Amino acid sequence: MPGENLSRDEARERAALLSVDGYEVFLDLRSAVGEGGQEPRTFRSVTTIRFRAEPGAASFADLIAPSVTALSLNGKDLDPAEAFDGTRIALEDLAEENELVVDAQCAYSRTGEGMHRFVDPEDGEVYLYTQYEPADSRRVFANFEQPDLKAPYRFSVRAPEGWTVWSNGAGELSDGVWQFAETKPISTYITAIAAGPYHYVTDSYERVLPDGTRLEIPLGAMCRKGLAPHFDADDVFLVTKQGLDFFHDHFDCPYPFGKYDQAFVPEYNLGAMENPGLVTFREEFIFRGKVTQASYERRANVILHEMAHMWFGDLVTMRWWDDLWLKESFADFMGSFSMVEATRFTNGWITFANNRKSWAYRADQLPSTHPVTADIRDLEDAKLNFDGITYAKGASVLKQLVAYAGRDAFLEGARRYFKRHAYGNTVLGDLLSVLEETSGRDMTSWSRSWLQTAGVNSLTPQVILNADGRITELSVLQEAAESHPELRPHRVAVGLYSRTPGGDLERYARAETDVDGPRTVVAELAGEAAPELILVNDDDLTYCKIRFDETSLATLREHLGDLTDPLARALCWSALWNLTRDGLMPARDFIALVLGFAGRESDIGVLQMLHAWANTALTQYAAPDWREEGGRALAEGALRELRLAAPGSQHQLTWARFFAAVATSAADLQLLEGLLAGTARIDGLEVDQELRWALLGPLAAHGAAGEQILAAELARDDTASGKRHQVRCLAARPSAAVKAQAWASVVESDALSNALVEATIAGFAQPSQRELTAPYVTKYFEAIERVWAERSIQIGMDVVRGLFPHLQGDEALTAADAWLAAHEDAAPALRRLVLEARDDLARSLRAQACDAGAGA
């Protein structure tokens, strides 16, 4: 892995020397289908790069390939053995105008990096697609792999007979070769290829532009043939058209990349990727069974997130990965913004407050937290910075910026940014300059506080009442962690709530104010009646951790379910969860709140988050001697709500999945077996194939579903999804031999694909099997440096994160500290992953101590 790295300094030096005029890339993918039962390893890749340089300069091109057949620079043949070292091609004595031709054998991937090859177990068909970000296009063709060396690309592909091939530009088959239109100048990491017998559906988008011209965008959507019966392409196209309407209405910049294909592909490592003209998504966004509205909302959000990238990221691209936020934070914000305003998912800001910001709060309290504008030294740093800071905190900061600068000024700034920098590369200052122009605000000081410092502030209300029970003074106290002491300016709303005669908890007063410094008085609320609940950051205008005064917390313990506004309720749940994570509220208290009020939660996405948080509270934050009791309470509460939920409703489905996840007793497991066999019924609950696997998971983990049962289920669902589920369930079984086999298949072998590595890891460590996995504490720390060195960075990340012994308490914490002390010179990215996992574990132990104190 280290030989594949590229530093920021190297990229800067190369960008100062070179400019690229264009690429021509030919790929021969006929080997993909294999011959004689042999798995193909490589395909032919021929690249011609035309570029300019300082005469006499030396540089390098990037290529990760098993072999190079031929090389030439400016018509002169080079010896591949001398010029190519496996990751770089040395370029000496460059001319002012240059032509590099590279004929290579590149490798098919099974890790989701580069040219991924997938064989569908259902019908034996082969599917290919590419995934590059941040730097894996060099696994498919020779190039200059950095975002600021943009160029137009012309791809041509020879594929097996009967296949269709897609790329960024429109294509046609001519004399057995797919020829694609030349792209606009784009970065290497957003070029793309998909090839195979995909099921393909078409539509079109039309619009009259302000100048009277007609814009027509051909639309396409594709998936594997086996998923075609489940593919609701009409809904994908509906959201796509709504998004295109929104962005054209607000950006004053027509979609610049011709067609708009969306490919739902197997074994995908990410949620999606914004390749212009050929956006790729994980195929799990095609739903094989019944799902809740939250799943459709999530898909719509991702579709719109990727669409926003066509402008933020593809048209205008960051110069280097330091400014990754210039595309990801904007896309994350614009995904929710456009979804709420243009689609049926009008409650998207509730999901943002409850789900996305939870990701940000966690990341911002890790030892690896960083400013939104990060210090990215190299590609390994870049890979790890696709995190909750870059996405969700950055998006939260932009949401706060809209409140600070104004919506119109923000959107006008975006329009000027696109016009000024189209097809170019930018840094932070380029965006701040246009926002200063349009808002009249000082963006430099705002940026210094919000983009260039790390950490999350806490805001706590403090109220003084007079003898008549009215507010004399209400102030907001701001605190910061010692490690990141910055106190920021916050535009916040403060809401006052009390119960109505009917028992509802409703807001009766609200004031917006600028919080700045350690204490800010909210003068507008003086004289108001005493509130039962004070909610700082009401309406979720800023990025902060919400704290409560004693009266407010007592009100929530008794009346959280009476809070009628769904966003306010979601903000309170999020604040209570942060208290639990911070060791300020016992885990058993949070679980009691879930048991008391989750059944009244109307927003399905919030309910699903509550279930996930309650499970984490039980397995990681509860005192060990209370876990059994807490588990029984959760299972009993989940079953009660399952039976009370409306038959056939999404709430019923959500409670069924949660009950399966927390079921432990013999009676619980017997009910799961009955639901699978059809001998037990819950009115309205349809046990489809996806729910069957959800029921089988806990049965396998508790030894009630063995290898034969799981094999029979796979025979019933002999698909790629079924195989992933089976592998996860197999690894979950409570046996030392099973754990040894699972460990070996992931750590000691590279035979599994990325999707099956992920599935095996997901099944390996079960909360009910802490004794079984205890021996792997030592094995983990003995293996990770070797795994990091030998495996791809994606698999390395999966193993280091996924197999960290987070259930092993003090023993694992001691082992992590010892490893970190003894490996100060380990790869920085590897150390970061271990530090993050170690911090999560230390947080769990502090929360357990808090919970134990509550039970004493």
Side-chain angles (χ1 to χ4, degrees):
M1 198 183 302
E4 300 173 5
N5 211 350
L6 174 73
S7 73
R8 176 176 53 204
D9 290 342
E10 290 175 312
R12 284 175 178 166
E13 291 171 9
R14 185 162 62 176
L17 288 174
L18 306 180
S19 63
V20 187
D21 294 327
Y23 289 81
E24 293 181 10
V25 179
F26 168 74
L27 304 176
D28 189 342
L29 303 177
R30 289 175 294 177
S31 61
V33 295
E35 294 181 3
Q38 295 295 312
E39 285 282 314
R41 292 188 60 251
T42 63
F43 58 92
R44 187 183 182 201
S45 169
V46 183
T47 306
T48 301
I49 314 175
R50 296 180 179 86
F51 62 101
R52 301 170 190 271
E54 291 185 11
S59 189
F60 61 93
D62 300 295
L63 176 68
I64 298 175
S67 65
V68 170
T69 307
L71 276 174
S72 71
L73 177 63
N74 298 330
K76 178 182 177 182
D77 290 339
L78 305 179
D79 183 355
E82 295 181 2
F84 177 59
D85 66 1
T87 61
R88 295 183 177 184
I89 300 167
L91 305 175
E92 306 287 345
D93 194 23
L94 293 171
E96 184 176 350
E97 296 185 4
N98 302 274
E99 182 179 274
L100 173 66
V101 182
V102 182
D103 190 341
Q105 288 294 313
C106 292
Y108 292 111
S109 169
R110 298 201 68 208
T111 66
E113 300 153 297
M115 180 69 74
H116 189 78
R117 178 180 180 272
F118 173 78
V119 182
D120 193 332
E122 194 170 358
D123 55 18
E125 296 280 17
V126 175
Y127 295 88
L128 302 178
Y129 66 86
T130 57
Q131 170 56 34
Y132 297 150
E133 193 174 39
D136 285 320
S137 64
R138 57 194 169 143
R139 298 180 186 275
V140 175
F141 62 95
N143 57 53
F144 299 113
E145 186 81 281
Q146 58 191 77
D148 59 342
L149 289 177
K150 284 185 163 183
Y153 294 79
R154 190 179 294 276
F155 287 96
S156 58
V157 179
R158 187 180 293 276
E161 187 175 349
W163 277 24
T164 306
V165 184
W166 294 263
S167 187
N168 304 89
E172 61 180 7
L173 184 62
S174 176
D175 296 326
V177 176
W178 289 87
Q179 304 282 356
F180 293 94
E182 185 174 75
T183 71
K184 300 287 189 179
I186 58 176
S187 301
T188 53
Y189 74 91
I190 51 175
T191 60
I193 296 288
Y198 284 94
H199 169 72
Y200 185 59
V201 186
T202 61
D203 202 336
S204 65
Y205 172 83
E206 296 183 9
R207 181 184 183 88
V208 177
L209 299 176
D211 63 4
T213 60
R214 177 169 291 276
L215 174 68
E216 182 173 353
I217 303 173
L219 305 179
M222 69 191 81
C223 67
R224 290 184 295 113
K225 291 192 296 185
L227 283 176
H230 309 287
F231 193 21
D232 53 340
D234 286 349
D235 193 51
V236 170
F237 287 138
L238 173 63
V239 173
T240 301
K241 293 176 184 180
Q242 290 169 331
L244 288 169
D245 274 341
F246 178 88
F247 292 122
H248 282 102
D249 285 343
H250 291 87
F251 284 173
D252 190 29
C253 178
Y255 171 71
F257 298 111
K259 70 183 181 69
Y260 201 86
D261 284 325
Q262 297 175 96
F264 294 79
V265 297
E267 299 191 325
Y268 203 53
N269 286 324
L270 310 177
M273 183 65 208
E274 67 267 21
N275 316 305
L278 182 57
V279 184
T280 41
F281 299 82
R282 65 187 300 122
E283 69 177 18
E284 285 78 2
F285 284 124
I286 298 173
F287 308 120
R288 300 195 316 149
K290 183 178 180 180
V291 296
T292 68
Q293 193 71 1
S295 295
Y296 290 101
E297 179 187 317
R298 170 65 177 149
R299 183 176 70 183
N301 184 274
V302 174
I303 288 172
L304 296 170
H305 174 116
E306 304 309 321
M307 188 179 292
H309 273 311
M310 301 300 122
W311 291 268
F312 285 108
D314 294 0
L315 178 66
V316 184
T317 311
M318 70 276 155
R319 183 177 298 167
W320 177 249
W321 302 101
D322 292 343
D323 284 307
L324 176 62
W325 81 280
L326 279 172
K327 72 183 189 76
E328 293 302 346
S329 299
F330 272 88
D332 217 46
F333 170 73
M334 294 304 302
S336 293
F337 186 27
S338 59
M339 183 177 69
V340 169
E341 300 216 350
T343 77
R344 66 187 185 272
F345 303 106
T346 55
N347 286 335
W349 288 125
I350 296 175
T351 305
F352 183 84
N354 195 246
N355 186 312
R356 298 300 280 179
K357 290 179 85 168
S358 175
W359 181 29
Y361 295 142
R362 173 189 174 270
D364 214 5
Q365 296 173 87
L366 291 170
S368 59
T369 188
H370 55 85
V372 175
T373 56
D375 179 25
I376 304 298
R377 297 161 296 185
D378 54 30
L379 290 177
E380 288 192 8
D381 277 358
K383 183 75 172 178
L384 267 63
N385 261 45
F386 290 82
D387 60 9
I389 303 293
T390 302
Y391 282 73
K393 180 181 179 179
S396 303
V397 168
L398 290 174
K399 190 169 187 279
Q400 194 266 359
L401 175 61
V402 173
Y404 174 72
R407 171 189 170 120
D408 292 342
F410 174 80
L411 290 170
E412 177 58 25
R415 289 188 283 268
R416 295 186 190 184
Y417 180 69
F418 301 142
K419 287 182 171 66
R420 222 166 269 181
H421 302 289
Y423 304 110
N425 296 86
T426 57
V427 295
L428 170 64
D430 297 313
L431 178 69
L432 296 183
S433 66
V434 295
L435 290 173
E436 280 196 352
E437 290 173 18
T438 58
S439 71
R441 293 272 200 168
D442 177 10
M443 287 294 121
T444 302
S445 60
W446 178 87
S447 169
R448 188 181 305 116
S449 292
W450 281 105
L451 300 178
Q452 295 168 280
T453 60
V456 56
N457 300 135
S458 298
L459 301 183
T460 307
Q462 185 179 69
V463 64
I464 300 173
L465 302 176
N466 61 24
D468 296 327
R470 293 194 170 271
I471 294 175
T472 299
E473 182 181 272
L474 191 153
S475 56
V476 177
L477 308 182
Q478 181 178 189
E479 296 178 292
E482 289 184 13
S483 56
H484 299 285
E486 180 80 13
L487 297 181
R488 299 179 178 86
H490 297 264
R491 183 68 180 173
V492 302
V494 179
L496 306 183
Y497 291 76
S498 66
R499 281 176 293 158
T500 66
D504 292 335
L505 187 58
E506 294 188 348
R507 186 170 70 193
Y508 65 90
R510 176 188 184 273
E512 279 194 32
T513 191
D514 291 314
V515 171
D516 200 356
R519 183 173 181 272
T520 301
V521 175
V522 187
E524 298 90 332
L525 295 176
E528 293 286 352
E532 293 178 79
L533 167 66
I534 304 172
L535 182 57
V536 297
N537 198 30
D538 206 353
D539 298 323
D540 198 36
L541 299 184
T542 193
Y543 171 80
C544 69
K545 287 197 293 187
I546 297 170
R547 300 302 200 204
F548 300 108
D549 63 300
E550 289 185 9
T551 299
S552 296
L553 188 56
T555 298
L556 291 174
R557 289 181 185 275
E558 297 295 326
H559 301 290
L560 176 54
D562 298 326
L563 193 55
T564 56
D565 181 77
L567 178 56
R569 204 166 54 242
L571 290 169
C572 289
W573 277 119
S574 178
L576 292 166
W577 178 240
N578 278 320
L579 289 172
T580 307
R581 290 190 75 248
D582 290 347
L584 300 175
M585 171 178 276
R588 65 190 68 194
D589 288 8
F590 183 81
I591 289 172
L593 285 164
V594 171
L595 289 171
F597 301 118
R600 297 172 63 181
E601 180 53 57
S602 59
D603 188 284
I604 197 67
V606 172
L607 179 60
Q608 289 171 344
M609 282 301 295
L610 293 178
H611 288 166
W613 289 342
N615 208 353
T616 299
L618 176 68
T619 59
Q620 296 184 36
Y621 297 162
D625 60 3
W626 185 79
R627 284 187 196 129
E628 185 176 348
E629 178 185 343
R632 284 197 306 270
L634 269 183
E636 290 169 4
L639 182 57
R640 179 181 66 252
E641 296 296 341
L642 170 58
R643 296 191 185 281
L644 289 172
S649 67
Q650 59 181 350
H651 282 70
Q652 183 189 56
L653 176 62
T654 299
W655 282 107
R657 289 181 170 276
F658 183 54
F659 171 66
V662 296
T664 56
S665 71
D668 293 343
L669 299 176
Q670 188 175 17
L671 176 56
L672 299 184
E673 290 175 324
L675 290 171
L676 278 168
T679 56
R681 283 186 53 81
I682 294 175
D683 186 30
L685 183 66
E686 178 186 351
V687 184
D688 60 25
Q689 187 58 63
E690 285 297 298
L691 185 54
R692 289 182 65 83
W693 284 115
L695 303 179
L696 276 165
L699 289 172
H702 291 283
E707 188 171 1
Q708 288 186 334
I709 290 175
L710 297 174
E713 196 66 29
L714 180 62
R716 175 191 179 107
D717 182 26
D718 193 9
T719 64
S721 299
K723 183 62 177 177
R724 289 195 300 273
H725 287 308
Q726 186 221 20
V727 166
R728 172 180 53 82
C729 291
L730 285 171
R733 292 172 295 158
S735 155
V738 164
K739 301 305 174 187
Q741 182 181 13
W743 178 271
S745 69
V746 169
V747 176
E748 308 300 336
S749 168
D750 63 359
L752 293 181
S753 71
N754 56 319
L756 296 186
V757 166
E758 182 182 329
T760 304
I761 290 172
F764 180 79
Q766 299 292 321
S768 60
Q769 300 170 5
R770 294 171 200 260
E771 291 183 5
L772 272 178
T773 53
Y776 292 91
V777 174
T778 301
K779 292 180 180 180
Y780 171 87
F781 289 105
E782 289 174 348
I784 54 175
E785 201 164 22
R786 171 178 56 81
V787 168
W788 192 258
E790 295 176 356
R791 309 289 280 278
S792 74
I793 190 168
Q794 182 63 51
I795 298 299
M797 289 167 57
D798 290 344
V799 170
V800 175
R801 280 179 174 152
L803 291 179
F804 184 89
H806 65 280
L807 296 174
Q808 300 303 326
D810 288 316
E811 180 189 356
L813 188 69
T814 300
D817 288 339
W819 187 91
L820 288 164
H823 294 81
E824 293 184 359
D825 59 347
L830 172 58
R831 282 185 57 85
R832 171 177 168 170
L833 291 172
V834 176
L835 275 166
E836 289 177 347
R838 184 258 177 222
D839 191 73
D840 278 338
L841 176 57
R843 179 179 290 272
S844 296
L845 294 174
R846 291 194 298 272
Q848 288 173 28
C850 170
D851 191 60

